[in-house]
Amino acid sequence: MRRARTRPDYAPAALLPIPAARRFDDKIGRLFRLRAERLIFSSGRGLARCMLGSAAHVLLNRAAAHRRPPPKDDGMEDLIARISATAGIEPDTARKAVGAILAFLRKDGPQDQIDDLFSRFPGAAEAAAAAGAEQRGMLSGLMGMMGGGLMGLAARLSGLGLSMAQMQEVGRLLFAYAEEKAGAERVRAAAAGIPGLSQFL
């Protein structure tokens, strides 16, 4: 005698009667929709975290930029490197030569025009002050013997080992750089009050 075959609890939808198959399909559909909604919700939360994190990162960078000090103008070092390469002298010698010329301008030039020029020439006032302090130091007696004016400047530059051609090259490059920073009119106004300075322009 044959046994009646019992239907399993989770029979495939194709083997179920039509009403049961529809209920089975509805159950599977709800399950997939629930999982899809959870996946979308999780993805949305992750995207929100990424967006909030990016926004916070941008705000922190902007705040750091406001606190960061302005970049230092290294123009004087660029000038020294340019003079060293073009005139064929050591950077330390070029720095001392530039300082001597700027200190000469500060001492013998028209003060208002020199102040205006130095205010637009980064590092010029500091270099002139440092060179002036050195000249007033232990070498003050020797500098006095050299005299003042352009003759004294030439003697100081010669004491650094510069030839006349190198002196003119250093002066030309220095004043060309000053024109880049402050403009040609200010440089000419500062040089106009010093007789003979045109040979360096």
Side-chain angles (χ1 to χ4, degrees):
M1 184 175 180
R2 282 186 167 183
R3 282 187 180 179
R5 298 178 65 181
T6 57
R7 188 172 60 192
D9 294 337
Y10 299 98
L15 301 179
L16 297 174
I18 292 177
R22 287 176 178 171
R23 289 195 299 272
F24 180 82
D25 290 341
D26 290 343
K27 183 177 181 180
I28 295 298
R30 285 197 301 271
L31 179 62
F32 275 106
R33 282 197 301 272
L34 180 60
R35 290 186 176 179
E37 289 172 357
R38 288 177 178 173
L39 179 61
I40 292 172
F41 181 71
S42 299
S43 301
R45 285 196 304 180
L47 180 60
R49 289 196 198 99
C50 291
M51 293 176 66
L52 288 174
S54 299
H57 184 68
V58 170
L59 291 175
L60 287 174
N61 283 343
R62 288 181 179 175
H66 284 296
R67 291 194 302 268
R68 192 178 301 124
K72 182 181 179 181
D73 191 334
D74 293 329
M76 185 63 73
E77 292 304 315
D78 292 340
L79 172 63
I80 297 303
R82 188 186 308 179
I83 291 175
S84 176
T86 305
I89 58 180
E90 292 296 323
D92 187 57
T93 302
R95 186 175 291 102
K96 290 179 179 179
V98 168
I101 295 174
L102 293 174
F104 165 74
L105 292 177
R106 168 59 75 195
K107 180 176 180 294
D108 290 19
Q111 293 303 304
D112 291 341
Q113 286 79 3
I114 295 299
D115 289 341
D116 187 30
L117 174 63
F118 280 14
S119 67
R120 291 169 172 79
F121 187 166
E126 294 79 0
E134 182 179 350
Q135 293 171 16
R136 289 190 299 270
M138 60 182 183
L139 298 178
S140 58
L142 180 59
M143 295 303 170
M145 294 172 59
M146 291 178 179
L150 281 175
M151 293 299 295
L153 175 61
R156 282 188 285 275
L157 296 177
S158 178
L160 295 175
L162 272 62
S163 65
M164 182 57 68
Q166 288 174 325
M167 293 180 199
Q168 292 177 341
E169 188 67 14
V170 171
R172 184 186 67 80
L173 291 171
L174 172 59
F175 286 111
Y177 185 79
E179 288 183 1
E180 292 177 13
K181 295 296 183 180
E185 292 184 3
R186 288 186 175 85
V187 173
R188 293 194 191 99
I194 306 176
L197 190 61
S198 59
Q199 62 180 309
F200 290 100
L201 302 180

